[in-house]
Amino acid sequence: MTTIRREVLTLPAAPLGPDNPLPPLRPLDEAHRIDDRDRADLPRDMARRVDYEPLRSLLPVQVRDGYDRGREPRELDALVIENDRLRATVLPALGGRIASLHHKPTGRELLYVNPVLQPANFALNGAWFSGGIEWNIGATGHTTLSCSPVHAARVPAPGGGEMLRLWEWERLRDLPFQVDLWLPEDSDFLYVGARVRNPHERPAPTYWWSNIAVPEDRRVLAPADEAWHFGYERRLRRVSVPRYGGVDRTYPLNSTYAADYFYEVPDGRRRWIAALDEHGHGLVQTSTDALRGRKLFVWGTGPGGRRWQEWLTEPGTGGYCEIQAGLVRTQLEHVKLEAESEVSWLEAYGPLDASPEGDWHTVLRGAEERLEAALPRADVDAAYDAWRPYADGEPGERLATGSGWGALEVLRAGWKLPGTPFGEDTLGGEQRPWLHLLRAGSLPEPEHHEPPGGTPVARPWRDMLETTAATPVAEYHLGVAQWHGGDRAQAVRSWERGLKTAADRWPLLRCLAVADQEGGHHERAAAQYAQAFDDLCARRPDGTAGAGGADTRGRWTAVAAALGREAIGALLAVGRTADARAVWERLDPVTRSRGRFRLTEAELLAAEGRRERARAVFDEGFEVADLREGDEAIGLLWARLDDAPLPARYDFRMRPDAG
């Protein structure tokens, strides 16, 4: 019998910390973009999907950059689904990640299991961690839900028994989704039924990739003779499989630099991908044909790739690669999901024993035969057909609670979404102002000089903001929504109107500063930033246990860190080093000791001409916890200070010509 139970995992974990309170107004800093030189060579359907609605903004989601690298034992709520053959461990508070898939008869772990929980800056909105199976919905990159809770409940399963349902509202594309996990009796395969719905009266761009971390000392098999190779130099090229550049790239450790290989699985061929060790043991993932794409991601054996592997776990821990499955050929594409429609599919994960060595086509044929014997393709299609009537089944016992954003959208639009209830009992503090706007037609003012909070930016919310009373907080949020909608001139006018009567001026001044930066007015932007930071400091809690107490002081620290970092960068960009130093001196000492701000300090010292002191910051050592994937800021600053090679601890370079 299949069982679902609660469990607690204890792992060394770094706390997530507070979200960045400033709205992400700048264009998305996403490394996965194609060089224009390669566009002409793309198949027409791929080129069309590459150009279809690429994500340009993180709004309405906020950046998660409050974590550090100080790990301590922490208890994590887990949900375990198992039968006599398999045991899957799911983390509902961390995007519904499958942390472990254990095959009982052989005692083998089928996934790469990270022994620590270390957030790093790989999700679209920041915090992400490596290992297990993650569900990536939204847009090119790791989902913004990587470190966020999702709803979970028991539901009836096909053929009797029960499934574990995960569901949430994805805010970048404004779409609800669900993932159903179940284990048929005596099955060696975990079944996953997935569905993305578009309840809107307009088409929506859609994206899905299931990312599976496996140990990197494997050979990766997929039924393809060609792949699209994408590296961090942003070139997309069609290459041969298994050999490219004279090297067999199906062995992850044969690549020097980080790279993606998107396999060209021929139409009509069964969709699957596997990673097998030298003895022929490993994991296979297969699916119905709707989940078309298959991919291998490798870190490579170069110093940058090795450093990232250490960064995401513990030194001495085995490295990993990722095998993946998605809706289209590559992760650079988005799919149009028509109005009031849905897309769904079924995946299966389980053990595979097959020879990984030898001629490519012989190896593939042998693996496919073993897969067909273990789980016939027809059985996968039949399991999908059996699951579809259960996808609308109402959840039973609630096992975990996600965000209240879905409940807010359902209240606003009155949608009926069978199988994925977003109840009013899930509404929380983040949704409270917007619930008030929805029901009373006005926005309440923040208390105790708190940051304004996140802004829903979908057109219906923007319409409500345009008709509510023009208070400073309403003008602030309206400007954010207008900025997201591409009406930047009107956004600036809204912020300027709000500034005239605002008691707390810094949120509006910061927005205007970003607008000036994006418009090329860097001197004016620096001045706006300086004024914004001055205004924020004027409202700084005095350290006494007054209104708001310690929580308010903690929020001030987070705001000051975020605003101070931006202000220093803007002031240094126009040569106002003394003003940048004045901002630095007013930051909290704990903030100044964080790795990101040690790097800022070195940049400030270099700008002041104190090169030796800036160089000493490197010698003293720092770790930028939220270093972005592909970010080369550390190496670029080092090159200004020293002709010596970049020290290994700071080398995160992911492309051949970096630095």
Side-chain angles (χ1 to χ4, degrees), residues 604-623:
L604 177 57
L605 289 164
E608 292 171 331
R610 301 160 68 185
R611 290 168 52 88
E612 291 186 6
R613 184 68 194 93
R615 175 66 172 72
V617 173
F618 282 85
D619 294 336
E620 293 161 7
F622 60 88
E623 292 184 322

Side-chain angles (χ1 to χ4, degrees), residues 361-373:
H361 292 104
T362 302
V363 168
L364 289 183
R365 187 163 54 250
E368 283 187 312
E369 290 172 355
R370 298 301 295 270
L371 174 58
E372 185 65 18

Side-chain angles (χ1 to χ4, degrees), residues 564-565 568-569 572 577 580-581 583-585 587-622 624 637 640-641:
R565 176 175 158 186
I568 290 171
L572 289 180
T577 55
R581 172 63 64 180
V583 172
W584 170 264
E585 296 294 345
L587 292 173
D588 184 272
V590 174
T591 298
R592 293 202 299 262
S593 69
R594 290 169 54 189
R596 168 61 66 180
F597 288 86
R598 295 303 313 283
L599 177 60
T600 298
E601 181 184 17
E603 293 169 337
L604 177 57
L605 289 164
E608 292 171 331
R610 301 160 68 185
R611 290 168 52 88
E612 291 186 6
R613 184 68 194 93
R615 175 66 172 72
V617 173
F618 282 85
D619 294 336
E620 293 161 7
F622 60 88
V624 181
L637 178 58
R640 291 167 52 196
L641 301 174

Side-chain angles (χ1 to χ4, degrees), residues 386-614:
W387 166 70
R388 286 296 293 130
Y390 288 81
D392 285 347
E394 286 306 304
E397 179 191 1
R398 181 70 64 91
L399 299 172
T401 302
S403 79
W405 293 114
L408 185 68
E409 293 301 326
V410 168
L411 276 175
R412 180 191 62 76
W415 285 313
K416 304 298 182 184
L417 299 169
T420 55
F422 294 94
E424 289 190 44
D425 60 334
T426 64
L427 292 165
E430 290 181 297
Q431 294 82 41
R432 192 170 297 118
W434 305 100
L435 185 62
H436 194 275
L437 176 64
L438 186 64
R439 290 177 168 169
S442 62
L443 271 178
E445 290 288 329
E447 297 180 357
H448 310 308
H449 303 292
E450 291 181 1
T455 307
V457 294
R459 186 72 211 206
W461 292 106
R462 176 176 166 179
D463 291 344
M464 280 185 267
L465 287 168
E466 286 176 343
T467 57
T468 191
T471 63
V473 70
E475 295 285 15
Y476 165 84
H477 286 298
L478 175 58
V480 172
Q482 290 166 331
W483 183 269
H484 175 265
D487 193 350
R488 296 192 167 188
Q490 189 58 55
V492 168
R493 284 192 285 272
S494 295
W495 292 326
E496 288 175 340
R497 282 197 305 270
L499 196 60
K500 293 177 181 178
T501 57
D504 295 331
R505 295 166 52 84
W506 66 264
L508 295 151
L509 286 166
R510 183 263 176 179
C511 289
L512 291 168
V514 174
D516 279 331
Q517 278 187 323
E518 293 299 304
H521 306 294
H522 299 292
E523 292 280 358
R524 196 164 65 199
Q528 302 267 33
Y529 266 121
Q531 292 179 49
F533 196 77
D534 287 346
D535 184 72
L536 178 64
C537 290
R539 282 141 182 75
R540 177 178 184 171
D542 60 8
T544 63
D551 287 346
T552 296
R553 292 194 296 276
R555 283 190 288 271
W556 184 92
T557 300
V559 173
L563 184 58
R565 176 175 158 186
E566 290 186 9
I568 290 171
L571 290 162
L572 289 180
V574 297
R576 291 176 57 173
T577 55
D579 292 328
R581 172 63 64 180
V583 172
W584 170 264
E585 296 294 345
R586 284 177 287 173
L587 292 173
D588 184 272
V590 174
T591 298
R592 293 202 299 262
S593 69
R594 290 169 54 189
R596 168 61 66 180
F597 288 86
R598 295 303 313 283
L599 177 60
T600 298
E601 181 184 17
E603 293 169 337
L604 177 57
L605 289 164
E608 292 171 331
R610 301 160 68 185
R611 290 168 52 88
E612 291 186 6
R613 184 68 194 93

Side-chain angles (χ1 to χ4, degrees), residues 208-326:
W208 184 281
W209 282 80
S210 301
N211 287 14
I212 310 137
V214 293
E216 65 182 351
D217 57 346
R218 299 289 189 268
R219 190 181 197 191
V220 173
L221 310 180
D225 293 323
E226 291 184 313
W228 293 91
H229 170 270
F230 182 80
Y232 283 79
E233 62 272 36
R234 299 186 176 180
R235 300 300 305 275
L236 184 68
R237 305 181 182 93
R238 192 193 295 260
V239 301
S240 61
V241 175
R243 300 183 70 83
Y244 160 53
V247 177
D248 189 333
R249 306 289 177 170
T250 61
Y251 294 90
L253 291 172
N254 282 353
S255 291
T256 304
Y257 296 99
D260 300 325
Y261 294 90
F262 299 103
Y263 295 111
E264 274 280 7
V265 180
D267 290 341
R269 193 85 178 259
R270 184 173 185 176
R271 307 286 160 172
W272 64 275
I273 190 167
L276 305 179
D277 66 18
E278 59 182 343
H279 305 294
H281 307 311
L283 170 83
V284 65
Q285 186 272 1
T286 187
S287 71
T288 50
D289 289 350
L291 205 63
R292 172 183 180 178
R294 293 299 185 275
K295 171 193 163 183
L296 165 64
F297 167 75
V298 300
W299 282 106
T301 58
R306 293 297 91 192
R307 185 70 180 105
W308 274 117
Q309 292 266 34
E310 293 176 353
W311 189 253
L312 295 170
T313 179
E314 290 182 329
T317 304
Y320 77 98
C321 63
E322 288 178 356
I323 56 176
Q324 306 181 11

Side-chain angles (χ1 to χ4, degrees), residues 628-639:
R628 185 67 174 164
E629 172 187 13
D631 189 343
E632 297 167 7
I634 295 176
L636 292 172
L637 178 58
W638 173 267

